[in-house]
Amino acid sequence: MEALAVQYPSRQDRRAEGCATDLADLADRIGEALTPWTDRPFALFGHSMGATPAYEVRSGRRRLSRHPGARRWPPYGRRG
């Protein structure tokens, strides 16, 4: 499995961009960016604040869980 990192708007090299203000929109954008990798097995891992967007990408409007490569992998580091 290949590891990919998500860099949120207004963080590090994306500082000039505005902050994400809508979780559903952020999840949609992440899901769209990950689409090229969904033809092979993949899992999402979110730690701490990243657990919420990882969960939303997996179960939200993008429905990445419907892709054939999706594997069950819960986000960690955040209480339900």
Side-chain angles (χ1 to χ4, degrees):
M1 218 179 266
E2 183 178 353
L4 303 172
V6 173
Q7 185 64 36
Y8 299 129
S10 81
R11 301 285 190 253
Q12 293 177 333
D13 58 335
R14 295 183 68 187
R15 249 179 300 190
E17 299 176 37
C19 292
T21 58
D22 182 82
L23 181 58
D25 180 56
L26 178 63
D28 283 347
R29 292 169 56 192
I30 293 169
E32 186 176 314
L34 292 176
T35 299
W37 286 273
T38 58
D39 63 341
R40 60 201 99 164
F42 71 92
L44 300 172
F45 176 82
H47 182 265
S48 193
M49 187 277 192
T52 302
Y55 175 81
E56 289 298 321
V57 169
R58 170 72 185 203
S59 64
R61 295 186 306 200
R62 294 290 307 167
R63 299 290 180 197
L64 284 182
S65 59
R66 294 182 182 167
H67 286 276
R71 299 288 184 257
R72 294 191 183 277
W73 194 305
Y76 292 95
R78 183 170 173 120
R79 292 180 186 207

